[in-house]
């Protein structure tokens, strides 16, 4: 899952991250930014942040996002994300906006999602 | 979303594809399908539209270009019902960016949704603007968004989105928020109970205070209150604690905001904050749960930064240092990484050198860590902590690491090693050793600056000269040595080789033969240096060695007709000079000492540091998102002439400049006006280029007569007289058009120069991408203000210029990268609209950017088996075009071949049976065509060289046409400037003023026919 809009950046990010050993840091410096990534089985979640941003805060931000997905899909797996990519976008829009954290309460987001589902 | 079967089926299909090719076919099929449906509006129900738009987004996510259907996505935004509207908003935010024209069409709908009553629509609209809103949005929407943020009737849901949306608008246009009215509101927002709204508002605050902390000083105590609330876990709902830690993210943000206030004056606030910080520093333990551990350490590291920023009491600082010392020794990679990173920051704030030195061996271990991220941090820290006491050890380690380091790190590594060696060298011979090892191990990454510097040291220290010469001689025994090593050893042995004369293997003729062995392996930039060395060796052989003289003269003779002007000129001059006995000795005497000055390397390192280290404190203080570096020049105002220039000139430009500088008794270059010296940095970076303008142009028409007529008297006259730089006129220095034309054929040089500023350019091209760097150098002792640079791109290029700072400090140089992407073939040219103010004068200029068609060509030589099938497969218009061109500049065939080669269209010799014809090939790169083969054939008429028939072919009709026109322009172009200047040289080459003709790369100046054509 990449939060980058540019597919080209996404590809080079991927190359940067996937070959790294599990014992390495979760941070890779990428041009003038840093990529913070976390691996869950075969899935990589990564965010690109400024050099001076707090690395660990973003690392846990990824985990919180995964927990939210896990809650929402109840035991999330890769296929859930692929076939429901539009839902993932919706969740992401409740979680992060303008590149900043918007909401850190799992409950608030899950409740909001069920509100939205009713509207469909 | 239920029942979107078509979408699921499509996704399954994609997943079932066996390979990339099958996937692409499936995607193409679907795109075709979607395209047809969009055209047929009658059957396009909102449901179908929605489905197709999701498919487009999916395809986009896979990494394919989706260049249609944007309108359909945008139009869904105005749909009355939620499901369609939602799709429209999401897909638009993903597919478009802020500069997209379609987005403007949506502004009104978006605004109506924001001010309307439907909360769901408000959320959608705020999300879109928060993600992709640009300046247009900032200007028209900021007040509405502000209203929502402070409204008491809106749910937190809307308000937190409004806060971040406003943050986006503020980033796009800081004027969107009126400080006066907003500061109090912002402070009130920080009293918010809802932690979601508070988290978003704190992010907004961070951006606001980074821009103007004074206006928001009332927010400072509120941030401390937030921290107290979280630290004491008061009024924090369970759902906002993360693994038992009260919102670590909010804690981090509040502490980040505080780092933008210079100090905290109010004693009670300060006390309260220090209590919180103390609690964090003491109370963070390592726990088993990874997430909890990360979260608590995220808070801890932010607290460390804040303590460093506040420059707290000694006791607290030493606590921090102790913690960091612990962190850089732990196994856990993330914590070790952060420990190293923060320790480096700590070095800048406080004197912790001695404590860090205790950990030196652990840090060196991290330099060998398998993880590059850790190695990078360790390198920075080692660099920062280096001083005289540990320089030998650290540099030794860096050199060792250099052999195994990956390419991406070698350049930085070698630069850092070179700087440390220079800064902290216990003795100079060690310094010479280090640099030579550096060149030996990582020659590709050793910039010219580095070897210029070592030459400078050796020249200035007589004791060092025999040592350096013997070291240089040793390296020559190695089987394969890097070209830079050839350069530096040739230079040193030329100057000081005679000091070794009595040692075995070091006689002049032995030195000559071992150096000459390298000549076939080096490029044309090194050959001139070798020629100079030969001349010096010859000069030092007393009494003359006729055998050596014969050999060397033979080489000079051989290069007398070399195609490279530089080499040709040196060969001719040295040959003539070496026949002149005493004058020869005089001219080639030892290089004078260089005036002392700050190392350009160290200056260079300062910018590297600026980008690489990114000290949080420094960065947060500036926070301007600009890639451009501003380098203040620490030189005294009346500036000593830049000594590095001398080796740089002799290194890569001119023999005549060697001679020229030699003719100055104290090594002062007389072409630098002492009142108004060009900035050192410019001369370092662009030294060889800057000089290439007028003085470098002792062009071949001066050689012609000398060589042919053997009138040696003129040699001194033309080659040695220094050329004054016109610094005191208000007019332009040099001719813009000429500079542009020169830059069309080479990749670095001066684009523009006037008495106040010099704009240099350096370019690298790869496929359809280019990276240019503009060097804007202020030549004066007062700043240039209101500097503006704007790119006016033609339709076929995508150009991105990093922002240029508004002010260029006195005698400083600013670099601004410009990214270029070629979308399709075209001969249009991008223009840089440039202006600045000097005192009250406003100067502006429109400069063409040399990102021209031939930059996207890559030379390619084909054999006849490759050429003819391709040639035949192009069967005629529009892929293959033919034209008879008249009024061509008459060129003999070899010259025409050179002209073609110079713009990367490679002549393939021998392919055409008719000797009067040329065939050529090249590869063109653009996004639309990819890499595309281009072929050309020129049929000339030996009886009439002013006309020829040209056939150009490629797989793309536009490319064929553009390339044909481009070549035509080159063939009939009469280079600017040559008209006026040729006559000046014409009447008598003997009296010709030296070096007035700018080099005009396309004209074959030694062809009388071409010159005549120029006159006519």
């Amino acid at each position: 899952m990449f939060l980058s809009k540019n597919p080209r950046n996404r590809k080079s990010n991927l190359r940067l991250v996937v070959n790294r050993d599990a014992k390495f840091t979760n941070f890779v410096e990428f041009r003038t930014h840093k990529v913070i990534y976390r691996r869950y089985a075969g899935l990589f979640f990564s965010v690109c942040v400024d050099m001076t941003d707090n690395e660990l805060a973003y690392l846990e931000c990824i985990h919180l996002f995964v927990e939210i997905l896990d809650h929402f899909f109840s035991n999330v797996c890769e296929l859930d994300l692929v076939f429901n990519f539009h839902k993932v976008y919706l969740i992401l829009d409740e979680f992060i906006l303008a590149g900043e954290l918007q909401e850190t309460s799992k409950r608030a987001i899950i409740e909001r999602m069920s509100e939205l589902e009713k509207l469909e | 979303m239920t029942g979107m079967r078509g979408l699921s089926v499509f996704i399954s299909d994609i997943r079932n594809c066996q390979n990339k090719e099958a996937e692409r076919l499936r995607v193409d099929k679907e795109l075709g399908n979607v395209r047809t449906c969009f055209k047929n509006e009658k059957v396009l129900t909102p449901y179908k539209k929605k489905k197709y738009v999701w498919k487009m987004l999916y395809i986009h996510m896979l990494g394919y270009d989706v260049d249609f259907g944007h309108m359909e996505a945008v139009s869904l935004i105005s749909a009355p019902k939620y499901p369609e509207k939602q799709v429209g908003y999401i897909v638009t935010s993903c597919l478009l960016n802020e500069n997209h024209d379609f987005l403007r069409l949506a502004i009104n709908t978006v605004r109506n949704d924001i001010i309307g009553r439907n909360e769901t629509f408000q959320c959608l609209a705020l999300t879109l603007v928060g993600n992709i809103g640009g300046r247009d949005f900032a200007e028209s929407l900021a007040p509405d968004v502000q209203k929502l943020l402070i409204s008491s009737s809106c749910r937190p849901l809307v308000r937190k989105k409004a806060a971040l949306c406003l943050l986006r608008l503020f980033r796009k246009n800081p004027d969107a928020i009126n400080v006066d009215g907003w500061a109090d509101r912002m402070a009130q927002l920080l009293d918010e109970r809802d932690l979601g709204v508070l988290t978003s508002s704190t992010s907004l605050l961070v951006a606001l205070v980074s821009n103007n902390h004074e206006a928001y000083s009332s927010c400072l105590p509120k941030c401390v209150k937030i921290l107290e609330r979280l630290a004491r876990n008061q009024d924090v709902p369970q759902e906002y604690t993360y693994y038992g830690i009260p919102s670590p993210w909010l804690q981090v943000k509040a502490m980040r905001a505080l780092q933008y206030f210079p100090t905290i004056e109010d004693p009670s606030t300060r006390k309260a904050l220090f209590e919180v910080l103390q609690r964090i520093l003491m109370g963070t333990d390592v726990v088993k749960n990874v997430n909890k551990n990360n979260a608590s350490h995220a808070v801890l590291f932010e607290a460390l930064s804040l303590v460093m920023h506040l420059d707290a009491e000694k006791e607290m600082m030493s606590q921090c240092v102790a913690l960091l010392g612990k962190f850089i020794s732990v196994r856990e990679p993330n914590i070790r990484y952060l420990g190293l990173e923060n320790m480096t920051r700590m070095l800048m704030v406080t004197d912790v050198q001695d404590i860090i030195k205790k950990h030196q061996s652990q840090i060196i271990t991290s330099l060998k860590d398998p993880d590059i991220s850790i190695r990078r941090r360790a390198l920075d820290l080692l660099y920062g902590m280096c001083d005289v006491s540990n320089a030998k050890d650290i540099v030794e380690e860096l050199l060792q690491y250099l052999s195994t380091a990956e390419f991406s790190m070698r350049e930085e590594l070698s630069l850092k090693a070179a700087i440390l060696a220079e800064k902290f060298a216990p003795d100079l011979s060690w310094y010479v050793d280090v640099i030579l090892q550096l060149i030996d191990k990582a020659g590709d990454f050793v910039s010219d600056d580095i070897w210029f510097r070592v030459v400078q040291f050796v020249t200035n220290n007589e004791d060092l000269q025999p040592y350096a010469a013997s070291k240089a001689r040793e390296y020559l025994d190695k089987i394969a040595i890097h070209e830079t090593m050839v350069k530096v050893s040739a230079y040193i042995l030329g100057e000081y080789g005679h000091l070794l004369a009595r040692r075995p293997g070091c006689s002049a003729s032995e030195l000559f033969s071992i150096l000459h062995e390298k000549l076939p392996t080096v490029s044309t930039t090194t050959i001139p240096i070798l020629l100079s060395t030969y001349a010096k060796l010859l000069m030092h052989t007393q009494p003359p060695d006729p055998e050596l003289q014969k050999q060397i003269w033979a080489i000079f003779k051989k290069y007398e007709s070399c195609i490279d002007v530089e080499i040709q000129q040196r060969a001719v001059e040295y040959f003539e000079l070496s026949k002149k006995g005493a004058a020869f000795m005089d001219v080639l005497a030892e290089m004078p000492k260089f005036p002392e000055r700050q190392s350009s390397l160290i200056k260079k390192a300062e910018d590297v540091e600026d980008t690489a280290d990114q000290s949080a404190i420094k960065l947060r203080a500036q926070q301007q998102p600009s890639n451009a570096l501003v380098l203040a020049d620490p030189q005294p105002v009346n500036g000593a002439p830049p000594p590095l220039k001398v080796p740089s000139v002799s290194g890569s430009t001119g023999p005549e400049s060697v001679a020229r500088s030699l003719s100055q008794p104290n090594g002062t270059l007389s072409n630098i006006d002492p009142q108004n010296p060009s900035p050192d940095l410019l001369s370092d970076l662009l030294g060889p280029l800057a000089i290439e303008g007028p003085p470098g142009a002792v062009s071949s028409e001066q050689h012609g007569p000398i060589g042919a007529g053997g009138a040696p008297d003129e040699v001194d006259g033309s080659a040695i007289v220094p050329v004054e730089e016109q610094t005191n006129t208000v007019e332009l220095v040099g001719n813009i058009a000429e500079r542009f034309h020169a830059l069309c054929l080479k990749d670095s040089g001066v684009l523009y120069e006037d008495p106040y500023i010099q704009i240099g350019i350096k370019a690298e091209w790869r496929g359809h991408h280019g990276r240019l760097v503009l060097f804007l150098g202020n030549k004066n002792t007062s700043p240039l203000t209101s500097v503006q640079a704007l790119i006016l791109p033609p339709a076929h290029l995508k150009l991105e210029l990093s922002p240029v700072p508004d002010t260029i400090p006195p005698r400083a140089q600013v670099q601004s990268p410009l990214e270029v992407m070629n979308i399709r073939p075209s001969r249009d040219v991008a223009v840089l609209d440039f202006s600045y103010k000097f005192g009250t004068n406003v100067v502006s200029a429109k400069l063409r950017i040399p990102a021209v068609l031939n930059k996207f060509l890559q030379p390619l030589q084909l054999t006849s088996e490759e050429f003819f099938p391709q040639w035949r497969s192009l069967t005629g218009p529009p892929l293959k075009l033919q034209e008879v061109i008249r009024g061509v500049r008459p060129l003999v065939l070899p010259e025409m071949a050179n002209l073609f080669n110079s713009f990367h269209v490679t002549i393939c010799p021998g392919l055409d049976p008719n000797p009067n014809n040329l065939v050529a090939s090249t590869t063109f790169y653009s996004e639309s065509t990819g890499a595309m083969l281009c072929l050309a054939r020129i049929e000339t008429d030996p009886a009439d060289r002013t006309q020829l028939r040209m056939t150009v072919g490629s797989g793309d009709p536009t490319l064929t046409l553009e390339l044909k026109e481009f070549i035509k322009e080159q063939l009939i172009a009469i280079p600017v400037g040559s008209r006026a200047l040729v006559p000046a040289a014409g009447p008598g080459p003997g009296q010709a003023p030296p070096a007035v003709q700018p080099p005009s790369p396309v004209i074959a100046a030694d062809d009388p026919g071409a010159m005549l054509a120029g006159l006519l």
Side-chain angles (χ1 to χ4, degrees):
Chain A
M1 168 65 50
F2 286 98
L3 309 180
S4 162
K5 285 190 72 171
N6 183 340
R8 228 163 263 115
N9 278 345
R10 247 182 289 160
K11 269 184 205 150
S12 46
N13 268 342
L14 189 67
R15 231 172 287 133
L16 213 63
V17 163
V18 289
N19 294 325
R20 285 173 59 86
D21 193 283
K23 286 192 215 87
F24 286 4
T25 53
N26 296 86
F27 324 129
V28 196
E29 289 162 35
F30 177 64
R31 299 195 193 134
T32 53
H33 290 79
K34 271 181 196 171
V35 174
I36 315 281
Y37 72 96
R38 212 158 167 165
R39 183 181 181 156
Y40 294 87
L43 283 181
F44 285 87
F45 290 74
S46 76
V47 281
C48 186
V49 302
D50 285 345
M51 276 291 185
T52 55
D53 274 325
N54 188 312
E55 294 89 348
L56 291 175
Y58 281 97
L59 189 60
E60 283 319 296
C61 173
I62 294 177
H63 187 70
L64 178 59
F65 184 57
V66 172
E67 285 190 356
I68 295 168
L69 293 175
D70 199 45
H71 236 86
F72 181 78
F73 291 105
S74 40
N75 260 333
V76 68
C77 70
E78 185 188 342
L79 289 183
D80 289 328
L81 303 186
V82 174
F83 282 95
N84 297 292
F85 71 94
H86 39 278
K87 299 271 185 200
V88 178
Y89 272 114
L90 278 183
I91 298 174
L92 193 58
D93 279 344
E94 295 299 324
F95 183 55
I96 283 181
L97 180 57
E100 302 283 347
L101 263 181
Q102 180 189 169
E103 180 58 78
T104 59
S105 156
K106 230 184 292 177
R107 196 174 64 101
I109 293 181
I110 298 291
E111 278 176 14
R112 170 69 179 156
M113 288 303 293
S114 52
E115 258 178 54
L116 290 178
E117 296 223 301
K118 279 182 206 135
L119 290 170
E120 301 242 333
Chain B
M1 206 76 50
T2 40
M4 202 103 87
R5 247 193 92 241
L7 181 61
S8 299
V9 169
F10 172 60
I11 295 175
S12 301
D13 281 2
I14 291 286
R15 291 184 62 84
N16 291 334
C17 286
Q18 296 295 321
N19 53 40
K20 201 75 197 148
E21 184 53 27
E23 180 187 297
R24 208 181 54 77
L25 286 173
R26 182 66 187 88
V27 165
D28 283 346
K29 184 181 151 204
E30 195 61 39
L31 283 176
N33 180 18
V34 173
R35 207 188 292 255
T36 336
C37 292
F38 279 158
K39 275 189 194 138
N40 195 352
E41 282 202 19
K42 274 179 225 151
V43 293
L44 196 61
T45 61
Y47 168 78
K48 278 193 173 162
K49 210 170 178 179
K50 192 174 95 179
K51 186 175 77 181
Y52 293 137
V53 170
W54 276 128
K55 280 185 183 169
M56 275 166 42
L57 179 56
Y58 191 77
I59 292 170
H60 172 78
M61 276 171 47
L62 291 174
Y64 294 92
D65 279 336
V66 178
D67 49 7
F68 67 97
H70 295 169
M71 196 62 211
E72 281 74 11
V74 173
S75 70
L76 279 174
I77 289 179
S78 0
K81 286 200 192 122
Y82 171 74
E84 281 87 39
K85 202 179 196 64
Q86 179 223 45
V87 181
Y89 269 117
I90 292 184
V91 178
T92 303
S93 337
C94 293
L95 290 182
L96 305 190
N97 65 30
E98 62 179 79
N99 299 320
H100 213 287
D101 285 335
F102 286 160
L103 206 54
R104 295 206 184 97
L105 303 177
I107 288 193
N108 265 332
T109 323
V110 173
R111 177 158 194 265
N112 288 335
D113 282 341
I114 286 180
I115 58 178
R117 300 237 162 150
N118 185 323
E119 185 194 60
T120 316
F121 292 2
Q122 276 176 338
C123 287
L124 286 173
L126 289 171
T127 305
L128 175 106
V129 179
N131 282 330
I132 59 166
R135 276 191 85 94
D136 296 344
F137 283 86
E139 273 141 33
S140 53
L141 292 179
D144 300 320
V145 178
Q146 277 169 307
K147 259 182 230 154
L148 290 183
L149 175 54
I150 55 177
S151 149
S152 53
S153 58
C154 282
R155 281 209 291 163
L157 181 69
V158 179
R159 294 178 53 220
K160 64 194 181 195
K161 290 185 171 27
L164 292 175
C165 181
L166 190 59
L167 165 60
R168 165 92 186 187
L169 298 180
F170 173 75
R171 282 183 183 149
K172 291 295 143 188
N173 180 8
D175 297 332
I177 296 181
N178 181 356
V179 178
D180 293 336
W182 188 249
D184 292 340
R185 305 268 192 194
M186 191 65 234
Q188 284 164 23
L189 279 171
L190 298 178
D191 293 330
E192 175 67 44
R193 316 262 13 119
D194 181 281
L195 288 187
V197 178
L198 191 55
T199 306
S200 302
S201 302
T202 315
S203 296
L204 174 61
L205 176 72
V206 172
L208 294 174
V209 289
S210 71
N211 189 44
N212 179 357
H213 62 85
E214 279 154 11
Y216 295 95
S217 56
S218 57
C219 296
L220 191 154
K222 307 259 177 167
C223 289
V224 177
K225 282 251 157 58
I226 296 174
L227 282 174
E228 284 187 283
R229 175 180 165 191
L230 294 170
R232 301 213 175 104
N233 206 345
Q234 290 168 343
D235 189 19
V236 181
Q238 178 56 34
E239 58 191 279
Y240 283 97
T241 54
Y242 181 78
Y243 291 88
I245 300 160
S247 186
W249 298 282
L250 182 53
Q251 292 195 49
V252 166
K253 276 190 195 302
M255 285 193 271
R256 184 56 64 105
L258 288 171
Q259 289 170 63
Y260 288 103
F261 294 101
T263 73
I264 298 177
E265 269 155 25
D266 177 53
S268 63
T269 312
R270 195 175 163 95
K271 188 164 164 269
L273 177 62
F274 275 47
E275 271 174 33
V276 173
L277 290 174
Q278 186 68 45
R279 193 193 282 237
I280 297 172
L281 292 187
M282 300 299 290
T284 309
D285 297 319
V286 178
V287 292
K288 269 218 164 135
N289 182 303
V290 182
N291 300 308
K292 180 169 185 169
N293 213 29
N294 284 341
S296 64
H297 281 78
V299 175
L300 174 59
F301 276 108
E302 201 63 44
L304 280 171
S305 288
L306 183 54
V307 172
M308 281 191 249
H309 168 76
L310 293 172
D311 209 357
E313 294 94 36
K314 249 203 134 96
E315 200 190 322
M316 209 176 216
M317 279 304 227
S318 46
Q319 266 179 23
C320 291
V321 176
L323 272 173
L324 289 174
K326 200 173 92 194
F327 292 154
I328 57 180
S329 321
V330 299
R331 271 270 204 67
E332 212 281 296
N334 287 339
I335 302 292
R336 186 146 46 100
Y337 173 95
L338 294 169
L340 292 165
E341 181 177 52
N342 283 283
M343 194 67 120
T344 314
R345 285 181 191 167
M346 188 65 121
L347 274 173
M348 295 180 201
V349 193
T350 165
D351 188 23
V352 286
Q353 213 87 351
D354 290 334
I355 307 173
I356 296 181
K357 271 189 207 158
K358 290 186 205 146
H359 301 285
Q360 189 167 316
S361 60
Q362 276 135 347
I363 302 170
I364 286 174
T365 317
S366 283
L367 186 66
K368 295 165 185 161
D369 196 278
D371 182 357
I372 184 171
S373 300
I374 289 191
R375 290 198 302 271
R376 281 219 165 97
R377 291 298 116 230
L379 172 61
D380 271 357
L381 181 53
L382 283 173
Y383 178 72
M385 65 189 274
C386 193
D387 62 17
V388 188
S389 74
N390 55 13
K392 265 195 166 173
D393 294 340
I394 290 183
V395 171
E396 206 51 47
E397 288 294 337
L398 298 188
L399 283 175
Q400 228 184 59
Y401 174 37
L402 196 55
S403 326
T404 52
E406 46 276 88
F407 285 109
S408 57
M409 271 186 86
R410 288 196 182 178
E411 186 168 11
E412 194 187 343
L413 197 57
S414 41
L415 183 65
K416 288 197 158 152
I419 292 163
L420 293 179
E422 179 181 335
K423 247 178 158 174
F424 303 115
D427 58 82
L428 285 168
S429 53
W430 177 77
Y431 169 73
V432 171
D433 282 345
V434 169
I435 302 298
L436 291 180
Q437 279 188 55
L438 209 57
I439 297 173
D440 188 39
K441 289 185 168 171
D444 282 343
F445 301 96
V446 175
S447 63
D448 282 348
D449 294 352
I450 295 180
W451 81 264
F452 293 169
R453 189 69 179 158
V454 83
V455 162
Q456 194 182 336
F457 268 110
V458 174
T459 310
N460 286 9
N461 294 281
E462 270 164 47
D463 302 346
L464 203 55
Q465 291 161 359
Y467 180 77
S470 70
K471 276 282 160 188
R473 173 66 187 80
E474 276 173 32
Y475 275 104
L476 287 179
D477 281 333
K478 287 196 152 197
I479 298 164
I481 59 172
H482 192 269
E483 188 162 344
T484 306
M485 187 65 90
V486 178
K487 287 183 189 168
V488 70
S489 31
Y491 189 93
I492 289 179
L493 289 174
E495 289 292 319
Y496 311 111
H498 61 281
L499 301 176
L500 304 178
R502 298 215 181 117
R503 303 193 194 181
C506 297
S507 72
S509 59
E510 281 163 314
L511 290 181
F512 164 75
S513 59
I514 194 158
L515 278 168
H516 194 54
E517 273 172 28
K518 316 290 178 201
L519 189 133
T521 63
V522 300
S523 67
T524 46
T525 53
T526 305
I527 296 177
I529 300 175
L530 284 172
L531 294 183
S532 302
T533 301
Y534 299 165
K536 292 229 169 189
L537 285 174
L538 202 54
M539 183 269 292
H540 281 301
T541 323
Q542 296 305 338
D545 173 349
E547 183 52 34
L548 181 65
Q549 191 176 53
K550 213 179 97 195
Q551 282 175 307
I552 292 178
W553 278 1
I555 296 164
F556 289 158
K557 271 282 162 211
K558 176 181 159 204
Y559 283 109
E560 216 173 65
S561 52
C562 178
I563 189 126
D564 185 287
V565 183
E566 186 58 53
I567 298 173
Q568 181 191 37
Q569 183 174 358
R570 286 201 193 202
V572 171
E573 287 174 357
Y574 292 150
F575 183 67
E576 294 298 329
L577 274 168
S578 63
K579 291 196 250 167
K580 289 171 65 81
F584 182 47
M585 304 280 281
D586 217 28
V587 171
L588 288 181
E590 196 169 294
M591 288 289 280
K593 288 190 177 172
F594 298 93
E596 282 305 324
R597 66 166 212 152
Q598 199 206 346
S599 160
S600 68
L601 283 186
I602 291 176
K603 267 189 261 171
K604 199 167 163 186
E606 280 158 6
D607 19 304
V608 173
E609 260 166 44
D610 276 351
T611 47
D613 284 357
Q614 306 257 6
S615 132
I617 293 142
K618 243 196 218 165
L619 219 107
R620 275 170 224 156
Q622 301 166 350
Q623 259 267 327
Q624 276 303 331
S626 162
N627 286 338
L629 301 172
V630 177
L631 312 176
D633 188 340
Q635 277 280 351
V637 175
N638 62 348
L644 252 191
K645 193 155 184 169
V646 178
S648 78
V649 164
S650 57
S652 46
T653 318
E656 108 278 19
S657 15
V658 173
R660 200 186 323 141
S661 41
L662 283 168
S663 67
Q664 305 302 317
N666 56 1
T668 317
L669 275 181
S670 58
N671 61 345
I672 306 289
D673 183 334
Q675 291 308 307
N676 213 346
S678 66
D680 288 3
L681 271 162
L682 270 184
S683 40
D684 286 348
L685 277 164
L686 295 173
L689 318 166
I691 258 182
E692 242 164 40
V698 185
S699 65
S700 17
E701 84 237 67
Q702 279 159 352
H703 289 290
I706 294 162
D713 280 352
E714 275 85 8
V715 178
D716 304 336
S718 62
I720 297 177
V721 171
V723 179
E724 296 290 333
E725 248 180 20
Q726 298 189 333
T727 32
N728 291 330
T729 47
V730 232
E731 287 157 19
L732 296 183
V733 181
N735 177 315
I736 298 185
E738 276 162 25
R739 291 189 189 281
F740 170 76
H741 285 294
L743 282 168
C744 286
L745 295 181
K746 56 182 192 176
D747 284 333
S748 53
V750 177
L751 180 67
Y752 172 87
E753 185 169 357
D754 67 23
Y756 306 121
I757 193 164
Q758 186 188 50
I759 305 181
I761 208 163
K762 231 178 161 174
E764 284 174 64
W765 305 94
R766 191 162 298 160
H768 65 283
H769 287 281
R771 184 184 162 83
L772 285 79
V773 181
L774 298 178
F775 297 85
L776 312 171
N778 180 353
K779 298 162 67 175
N780 293 275
T781 49
S782 29
L784 301 178
T785 55
S786 307
V787 179
Q788 284 189 333
L790 211 95
I791 293 282
L792 314 171
H796 74 288
L797 292 178
K798 216 182 243 170
L799 293 150
E800 213 171 298
L801 180 66
S802 301
V804 174
D806 184 63
T807 306
I808 305 179
R811 301 181 26 72
Q813 190 194 47
V814 167
Q815 303 182 7
S816 195
L818 169 64
E819 302 286 346
V820 183
M821 192 169 87
N822 189 21
I823 299 169
R824 57 180 171 274
S826 164
R827 282 168 301 131
D828 289 346
V829 180
V831 171
L832 175 72
D833 192 349
F834 175 77
S835 64
Y836 67 91
K837 239 166 139 174
F838 179 78
T840 51
N841 296 345
V842 179
V843 182
S844 74
K846 286 209 169 35
L847 305 168
R848 283 179 288 172
I849 298 282
V852 287
L853 188 114
N854 61 310
K855 301 285 183 184
F856 303 104
L857 296 177
Q858 224 163 62
L860 167 80
Q861 194 153 43
L862 295 183
T863 62
S864 58
E865 295 81 44
E866 293 160 336
F867 185 90
F868 289 107
Q870 296 282 353
W871 183 252
R872 279 190 288 266
S873 71
L874 301 166
T875 45
L879 293 182
K880 196 184 207 171
L881 298 171
Q882 192 169 68
E883 185 177 337
V884 174
I885 304 171
R886 289 177 220 284
V888 174
R889 265 188 301 135
L891 296 173
V892 292
L893 278 182
E895 283 160 5
M896 191 176 286
N898 283 340
L899 174 63
F900 274 79
N901 286 329
S902 73
F903 51 81
H904 297 169
V905 178
T906 321
I907 298 297
C908 310
L911 257 58
D912 199 303
N914 183 338
N916 289 313
N917 296 351
L918 291 173
V919 295
S921 58
T922 186
T923 316
F924 176 80
Y925 290 86
S926 75
E927 199 183 47
S928 68
T929 59
M932 186 161 279
L933 180 69
C934 307
L935 305 172
R937 182 173 188 224
I938 311 289
E939 295 156 275
T940 65
D941 175 4
D944 180 1
R945 294 216 164 271
T946 64
Q947 62 172 354
L948 51 78
R949 186 164 77 174
M950 173 165 74
T951 319
V952 175
S954 80
D956 179 271
T958 326
L959 175 56
T960 305
L961 179 72
E962 292 292 325
L963 184 63
K964 188 198 79 181
E965 293 301 313
F966 173 79
I967 298 178
K968 192 163 102 186
E969 281 169 9
Q970 303 300 315
L971 289 171
I972 56 180
I974 298 169
V976 264
S978 57
R979 280 172 185 242
L981 292 163
V982 171
Q991 287 85 46
V996 282
Q997 177 169 16
S1000 130
V1002 269
I1003 194 167
D1006 49 353
D1007 179 3
M1011 271 156 48
L1012 272 176
L1015 281 167
L1016 297 168

